[in-house]
Amino acid sequence: MEETIRGTETAQIPKQRGDSLLETAVRYAEERHWDVFPGTWLEAVDGSQRCSCGDALCEEPGAHPARPDWATQATGSATVARRMWQKQPNASILLPTGRTFDAISVPETAGFLALARMERMELTLGPVTLTPARRMQFFVLPGAAAKVPDLVRKLGWSPASLDLVALGEGSYVAAPPTRYGSRGAVQWACRPTPANRWLPDAEELISPLAYACGRDR
C-alpha cells in the first residue's frame, strides 16, 4: 500500500479499498486502536442526496455528528463499532481528536507543498486525509492543539495569519471513505500503514506546514 504521495505524484490520491463503512470502521478500531463513532448519512430525497439531519442547507451533508453526545458515544472497541454500524450501515465514520491523535488541518494546496517538503526533509509522517472541502489533515500525537499556536509564533508567524488549525479534544475528523454529499469522499493522501503507526509530534511537522501555509496565503 502507498505510504505517501511523492513529489511527482501529488495530483494522484491513492484509491480507496472497496470495504464497507462497517468493515472500515471496525478496522480502524481493531487495527489502529482509534476511537470511532457513527455520524450522519446521506438519504435520497427528490432525486438528490441530502443529509440525514434534515437540513437541506447542511454544510457537511452526511459527514457530521448525528447526536450532541457524540463524544461519549465514541468507542475503541471493534465489537461495539460493529454493533453501531449494523444499526445504521450508511453512517459516516468520524474519529474524535484529542485521544489517540490530534490533527493539523491546512488547505489542500499548502498540504501538498508541505508533503513534498517533508519528503525532502525525510520526515516520518502519520496518516494524512484529504477532504472534499479541499483540506488536508495531518495526524500527530495528542496535545498538538495546545502547543501549535506557540510553535507557530516561535517560527515568526502570527497564528491568526495562517490558515492552519490544530484539532484536539472536543473536535473530530471524518475518515475515508466518508462522503460529503455530492462533493465526493474523504481520501487518504498518506494511508495508515504499519510504518506510520507511531505518530510524529506536532513539533516535527510544524515548520514545513507553517512555511507552506505562508506561501499559500
Side-chain angles (χ1 to χ4, degrees), residues 115-158:
L115 279 177
R117 192 174 179 86
M118 290 172 186
E119 183 182 63
R120 291 195 297 272
M121 297 169 69
E122 298 184 346
L123 295 179
T124 300
L125 287 176
V128 181
T129 62
L130 174 62
T131 77
R134 302 184 72 84
R135 296 196 68 84
M136 295 181 76
Q137 295 163 333
F138 291 73
F139 289 23
V140 294
L141 289 172
K147 59 187 177 183
V148 158
D150 282 341
L151 293 174
V152 169
R153 290 189 191 95
K154 289 178 181 178
L155 292 171
W157 296 96
S158 163

Side-chain angles (χ1 to χ4, degrees), residues 3-192:
E3 292 184 20
T4 187
I5 300 175
R6 303 192 179 278
T8 58
E9 301 171 328
T10 53
Q12 299 179 6
I13 303 299
K15 292 182 179 180
Q16 305 305 312
R17 290 165 57 176
D19 292 345
S20 69
L21 288 161
L22 183 155
E23 292 169 332
T24 304
V26 169
R27 193 171 70 248
Y28 289 153
E30 196 168 56
E31 297 180 6
R32 299 299 294 200
H33 304 295
W34 290 340
D35 282 6
V36 298
F37 67 98
T40 54
W41 57 92
L42 297 173
E43 298 177 331
V45 179
D46 297 329
S48 62
Q49 290 186 322
R50 289 191 182 176
C51 186
S52 61
C53 71
D55 183 356
L57 300 178
C58 180
E59 295 183 357
E60 297 180 311
H64 65 84
R67 43 194 277 186
D69 63 342
W70 60 264
T72 60
Q73 185 188 22
T75 180
S77 165
T79 301
V80 175
R82 182 177 297 279
R83 190 180 308 134
M84 289 194 293
W85 266 271
Q86 284 175 337
K87 292 180 180 177
Q88 182 41 258
N90 295 322
S92 54
I93 303 174
L94 305 180
L95 312 175
T97 51
R99 300 187 183 189
T100 51
F101 65 87
D102 279 6
I104 301 177
S105 176
V106 300
E108 173 188 317
T109 49
F112 279 127
L113 178 61
L115 279 177
R117 192 174 179 86
M118 290 172 186
E119 183 182 63
R120 291 195 297 272
M121 297 169 69
E122 298 184 346
L123 295 179
T124 300
L125 287 176
V128 181
T129 62
L130 174 62
T131 77
R134 302 184 72 84
R135 296 196 68 84
M136 295 181 76
Q137 295 163 333
F138 291 73
F139 289 23
V140 294
L141 289 172
K147 59 187 177 183
V148 158
D150 282 341
L151 293 174
V152 169
R153 290 189 191 95
K154 289 178 181 178
L155 292 171
W157 296 96
S158 163
S161 70
L162 299 181
D163 188 0
L164 183 155
V165 181
L167 305 173
E169 187 175 358
S171 296
Y172 63 89
V173 298
T178 294
R179 295 192 66 83
Y180 278 65
S182 61
R183 285 180 281 173
V186 182
Q187 302 184 64
W188 289 115
C190 184
R191 288 181 180 276

